[in-house]
Amino acid sequence: MSADFPPLATFDKDAKHIGYMNLLLKQVQQALPQHRIQEEVLPWPRVLFVAKNGGAYCSAMAAQTPERESYLRFTAPYGFVYPVGLVIRAKDQDQFKRFLNKEGEVRLRDLLEQNDLSAGVAGSRTYGTKLDDMLRPLVQSNARPIIQVSQDNSTKSLITMLQKHRFDYTIAYHSEVAYYDSASSKLHFYPIAENSDLLAGRFSCTKSPQTDQTFAELNRLASSYRNNPALTASYERWLPAYLVKPYRQRLASQLNSSAR
């Protein structure tokens, strides 16, 4: 099961480039010719609902969380991508320098304590346990200037609102910014210090006897994709130049750590 997450997973026939996730699944099909893979594209909440309610399903898109581990099993990582980060208007970088650490990551906890800079967040989206725990009390108490957006395509709406100066920053994946940002708006992406580790992409399958063999095969495949040049190129295509070197350094560091 898949969902539309442009540009990494896109099902638009007019898309200029094949997405990272599309290419990954194409390679899986080639590596497992004994299987006929039928891909079903659904809204992401529906994907999780279907998986949670049983059946023989696998996905390449679900991030591993304690809640999802109750109904999905996860393979070793097949790759690593930037987690969500802070997105601002590029011309406003001077306003955020005071919140950066020496690695150029923004200290979100310190930023959230300020009243002079406002945030836009998705009301129905999880940003991961660490960031959700930081944002939740502020959203619930209205203690800080935070605007919530609850549309289906909340990221696109948030980026449009940021461009129109409705608030000063939002949280998104850098690839979403690259996809939705117009040439004239010039947005900038900062990794978040409290959430700086690259996010591991893993295959997942429902806990069903019907998926036992497939899960084992996907688990064996996963590690072979980590240094796949075609997959790496399809991901880095959407990285701005200032993030390519830091991404490669982080990737090398995490791969070295996981190999020990």
Side-chain angles (χ1 to χ4, degrees), residues 30-198:
Q30 293 171 347
L32 302 176
Q34 68 273 29
H35 294 291
R36 181 180 63 86
I37 297 177
Q38 179 179 337
E39 186 175 18
E40 186 169 0
V41 182
L42 300 169
W44 185 242
R46 181 66 182 171
V47 169
L48 295 178
F49 176 82
V50 172
K52 195 172 184 178
N53 282 272
Y57 299 103
C58 294
S59 179
M61 297 185 176
Q64 186 173 10
T65 67
E67 192 271 335
R68 291 172 186 173
E69 287 176 337
S70 65
Y71 57 92
L72 290 172
R73 45 188 166 177
F74 291 84
T75 70
Y78 57 71
F80 294 86
V81 299
Y82 266 114
V84 291
L86 200 81
V87 185
I88 68 167
R89 294 178 292 272
K91 65 180 182 179
D92 294 340
Q93 289 180 65
D94 285 347
Q95 298 184 50
F96 290 84
K97 285 182 178 179
R98 54 188 161 137
F99 303 109
L100 301 182
N101 63 18
K102 62 181 181 180
E103 286 78 29
E105 303 161 343
V106 67
R107 301 188 306 274
L108 183 61
R109 195 177 302 277
D110 292 346
L111 175 58
L112 290 173
E113 292 178 354
Q114 307 301 310
N115 286 314
D116 60 330
L117 294 169
S118 58
V121 299
S124 59
R125 179 178 186 174
T126 177
Y127 292 113
T129 303
K130 292 179 182 178
L131 301 192
D132 287 346
D133 288 347
M134 294 167 63
L135 290 167
R136 189 180 302 109
L138 300 180
V139 171
Q140 292 175 346
S141 67
N142 294 316
R144 297 286 182 272
I146 295 180
I147 297 172
Q148 288 191 81
V149 172
S150 300
Q151 295 98 301
D152 288 341
N153 198 341
S154 56
T155 300
K156 182 179 180 180
S157 299
L158 286 166
I159 289 175
T160 299
M161 293 169 72
L162 177 64
Q163 293 166 343
K164 294 181 178 180
H165 292 247
R166 294 283 302 279
F167 41 75
D168 299 297
Y169 63 92
T170 188
I171 297 173
Y173 287 103
H174 77 85
S175 52
E176 296 173 317
V177 178
Y179 185 77
Y180 290 121
D181 184 21
S182 68
S184 60
S185 61
K186 297 182 180 178
L187 301 180
H188 189 83
F189 178 93
Y190 288 116
I192 294 173
E194 295 89 343
N195 192 50
S196 60
D197 286 347
L198 296 180

